[in-house]
Amino acid sequence: MERSAGILLPIFSLPSPYGIGTLGREARAFADFLAAAGQRWWQILPVGPTGAGDSPYTSESTFAGNALFLDLEQLAAEGLLTQAELEGARVAPSDTIDYAALHRDRDALLRLAFSRASGQAAQVVREFTDGNPWVKNYALYRAIKTHFDQTAWFQWPDEALRRHEAAAVERWAVRLAEDVAFHTWVQYWFFRQWESLKTYVNDRGVKLIGDLPIYVSLDSADVWSERREFLLDAQGRPTKVAGVPPDYFSADGQLWGNPLYDWNAQKADGFGWWIRRVEGASRLFDAIRLDHFRAFASYWAVPAGAGTAKVGHWEVGPGMDLLRVLTNWFPHITYIAEDLGILTDDVHRLREESGLPGMKVLEFAFSGPDNAYLPHNQQAGCVCYTGTHDNDTAAGWYAGAGEAEQAFARQYLGAEDAEGVRKALLRAGQGSVAALFVAQLQDYLGLGSEARINVPGVAEGNWRWRLTELPPMALASEIRQLTYTYGRCGA
C-alpha cells in the first residue's frame, strides 16, 4: 500500500432526501469531494441487509446488498417509479435515521417498482442469478421470512424447510415464486447500481475499503442454507456463541451471540465458504478490512445461553491455514488486519506471519510515551486512524477523556485546548509513518459525540447518524493541503 490517506464514512451516513444514504448522486458527490481533498480511499462499513438492531455487523446475508441503499431516483429514471412516488418517499432533513419508518415504507415502494419491471429485462436478471448462486437461497429466505411474519428461520414450522432439505426448498420456492422474484430483482438493482457507483469512484482515483465481519448472524440465509459450516445442534441452535471478554469497552465483555464456525469441517473443505465469501466482497471493494482479526489466532467462545461473555474461554482459530488460502486465492486484494482489542502473543505472531498491515488508533494512544499507538511508536506499513466506527469522534473522545489523558494529549500534540487537540490529532495521523491514514469525516468537521456511529456493547441507538448536507468544498481544499504537506496526496 502506497503512502496515502482516506476518509471513513458509511453509506448510510450520506445525506439524501429519502431518510438514509444511498448509492445515488450524493455518493457520487462525496467521491468528488474525496478526489478534491486528495484522498485515495473511501472506507465504508458492511453493506449487507441488516437484522436485529440495524447493525451492519448482524446481516441477513454475507453476500447480499442492503435494499435501503438503492437509489430511488435511478429507479424513477428507468420508469419504475413515478415522480409522485418519489416525492412521497422524501422525509424531512435529519441527522438521525428512522429505521422503523424506512422498513415500514420502503418495501412497498420497491414492490411497486418491481411490478413495473419489464419482462424483456428478465433475461438479464436470470444471468445475474446464474452468476451469483447465493441469490436463490437469499431471495427464498427473505420470502419465507415475510411469509412467516419475520420469524427467525430456526423457528419456522416446517422442519424439513428449517433443515434446508431439497424437496422442501423446492416446494416453498414454487409456492412463493412471486416474492422470490421480487427479492431477486432487488439484489439485481443493488449490484448494478453498486457497480456503477464503484466505477465512478475509481475513475476519480479513489478506492473503496470495505469491512468483512468475522461472524455472520444466526438468523441469516448463510446459516440456514449452509448449517454444516457452523457449530450448531440438531435443531440448528448454536452450542457456543461469539463474543469478547471484558475489555476497554465493557466490564462484562460483549456477548455477540453469533454462531461459531466449525473450523475442522471448513478446513477439510479447503475453506470453500470463505473463498466464496471473499470473492463476493472483492466485487464490492478494492481493499478488505478483516474484522476482529484476533479471532483468526484465537477466539472467545461463550456457552450458549450464558448471560454475559465473562464465562467464555479462548479457543484456537484457523490461523495461517485460512489466511494462506485467502491471500493465495486473491493476491490482488489489499487486506487490512483489524488487530484491536485484547492482543496476545499469538495474534502478533499471526499478523507478522501473514504480512498484513495492522491498525493503530490514535484515540487509544495517550496513556504515556510507551504506548504503541503513538505516532513515534508506529511501524511503517500500518494503517493509522483517529478512531474507527466503534470509537467516539475526536472531539467527543477528548471531551470524555480523563484529566491525565487530556494533559498528555495536549503535551504530546503541542495543543492548548480541545479544538487544538482535534486539529493536531489529524496532523499527527497524516504525519505518521503509517502507509495509510484514515479519519472519520466527523473529525474533519469538528463534530462531537452526537455524531458517533456506534457504542460497542450497547444494543440500541447505534448506526443512525448521518449528514444533513455534504461537506463544503472549502473543507476539501483544507484537507488536500494537509494531505499534500505530509506526502499522502493523490494525483
Side-chain angles (χ1 to χ4, degrees):
M1 186 179 291
E2 296 180 352
R3 186 171 177 83
S4 54
I7 289 177
L8 168 60
L9 184 73
I11 294 292
F12 61 73
S13 292
L14 287 164
S16 89
Y18 306 106
I20 192 170
T22 74
L23 308 181
R25 53 189 168 90
E26 289 84 5
R28 286 168 168 75
F30 186 64
D32 294 337
F33 175 90
L34 290 168
Q39 306 300 286
R40 284 189 271 175
W41 295 95
W42 177 5
Q43 181 165 343
I44 58 179
L45 302 187
V47 295
T50 57
D54 301 301
S55 168
Y57 294 88
T58 56
S59 178
E60 293 182 333
S61 169
T62 192
F63 299 101
N66 192 334
L68 295 180
F69 295 164
L70 283 174
D71 178 13
L72 300 179
E73 294 177 355
Q74 179 59 40
L75 296 181
E78 296 175 19
L80 301 178
L81 293 174
T82 68
Q83 289 301 312
E85 288 160 354
L86 272 187
E87 287 298 317
R90 297 173 72 95
V91 299
S94 172
D95 62 359
T96 302
I97 298 168
D98 185 347
Y99 283 106
L102 287 172
H103 289 307
R104 183 184 64 242
D105 301 334
R106 188 58 54 86
D107 185 78
L109 191 63
L110 293 179
R111 288 178 185 274
L112 273 176
F114 167 66
S115 71
R116 297 165 183 151
S118 170
Q120 294 178 342
Q123 177 61 31
V124 179
V125 177
R126 281 194 292 271
E127 292 172 358
F128 167 74
T129 304
D130 291 342
N132 296 273
W134 56 266
V135 173
K136 292 181 179 179
N137 276 318
Y138 174 71
L140 179 57
Y141 164 86
R142 282 299 318 141
I144 298 170
K145 286 267 290 186
T146 301
H147 179 79
F148 288 126
D149 196 25
Q150 305 306 318
T151 301
W153 69 263
F154 46 84
Q155 295 175 330
W156 292 345
D158 186 329
E159 182 178 357
L161 184 63
R162 292 198 305 271
R163 293 179 176 277
H164 199 261
E165 294 179 5
V169 167
E170 180 61 26
R171 182 171 65 254
W172 280 91
V174 172
R175 179 176 178 180
L176 301 177
E178 184 74 5
D179 214 25
V180 170
F182 164 68
H183 291 291
T184 302
W185 272 88
V186 167
Q187 290 306 304
Y188 164 71
W189 288 330
F190 177 91
F191 281 91
R192 194 183 63 175
Q193 290 189 5
W194 184 276
E195 183 178 2
S196 176
L197 174 62
K198 186 176 185 298
T199 298
Y200 187 95
V201 173
N202 289 165
D203 284 349
R204 276 139 191 82
V206 179
K207 296 182 178 181
L208 295 173
I209 301 175
D211 243 9
L212 192 69
I214 179 66
Y215 298 118
V216 299
S217 177
L218 173 61
D219 187 16
S220 66
D222 310 302
V223 181
W224 170 59
S225 62
E226 305 196 65
R227 283 170 55 168
R228 63 187 179 277
E229 307 289 346
F230 305 90
L231 292 175
L232 306 175
D233 63 20
Q235 302 304 315
R237 300 299 186 98
T239 55
K240 292 178 286 190
V241 297
V244 291
D247 61 8
Y248 174 89
F249 291 115
S250 173
D252 288 331
Q254 298 175 46
L255 185 58
W256 296 338
N258 308 77
L260 297 175
Y261 297 110
D262 187 338
W263 289 119
N264 290 330
Q266 292 202 355
K267 183 178 179 180
D269 182 45
F271 297 106
W273 186 81
W274 277 89
I275 291 171
R276 287 184 282 114
R277 190 182 191 208
V278 172
E279 181 182 23
S282 70
R283 298 179 184 181
L284 297 171
F285 313 121
D286 301 294
I288 296 173
R289 192 188 82 138
L290 296 175
D291 172 58
H292 199 53
F293 179 81
R294 74 137 302 116
F296 291 101
S298 53
Y299 55 92
W300 194 246
V302 183
T308 75
K310 283 184 176 181
V311 297
H313 61 277
W314 293 110
E315 295 190 1
V316 177
M320 283 304 299
D321 288 341
L322 173 57
L323 294 177
R324 192 177 293 111
V325 166
L326 297 183
T327 52
N328 286 341
W329 268 79
F330 306 102
H332 60 288
I333 294 177
T334 299
Y335 294 99
I336 299 171
E338 193 262 293
D339 56 342
L340 304 176
I342 299 175
L343 302 184
T344 47
D345 289 343
D346 59 336
V347 183
H348 293 300
R349 287 194 300 269
L350 181 62
R351 193 200 60 75
E352 291 170 2
E353 185 177 358
S354 68
L356 304 184
M359 292 173 52
K360 305 297 181 185
V361 177
L362 293 178
E363 290 182 18
F364 293 154
F366 298 98
S367 62
D370 60 345
N371 189 301
Y373 291 165
L374 286 170
H376 73 270
N377 288 328
Q378 294 178 13
Q379 304 87 27
C382 70
V383 182
C384 176
Y385 291 78
T386 48
T388 75
H389 64 276
D390 282 334
N391 299 112
D392 208 333
T393 66
W397 156 73
Y398 182 78
E403 185 175 338
E405 188 177 7
Q406 288 183 339
F408 185 73
R410 290 194 302 271
Q411 178 183 355
Y412 185 93
L413 297 169
E416 295 183 355
D417 56 18
E419 180 63 4
V421 167
R422 179 186 70 83
K423 292 181 176 180
L425 198 70
L426 291 164
R427 289 196 301 273
Q430 289 273 13
S432 73
V433 298
L436 170 61
F437 169 65
V438 179
Q440 296 189 83
L441 180 63
Q442 300 95 301
D443 296 343
Y444 284 116
L445 292 170
L447 300 178
S449 298
E450 74 282 355
R452 183 168 184 168
I453 295 293
N454 180 49
V455 181
V458 175
E460 301 295 331
N462 294 315
W463 321 109
R464 281 165 165 70
W465 176 80
R466 62 190 294 254
L467 293 163
T468 55
E469 59 183 6
L470 288 165
M473 293 305 288
L475 178 61
S477 298
E478 294 178 17
I479 297 172
R480 185 181 188 90
Q481 185 60 46
L482 183 64
T483 305
Y484 171 80
T485 299
Y486 291 105
R488 298 185 181 277
C489 206

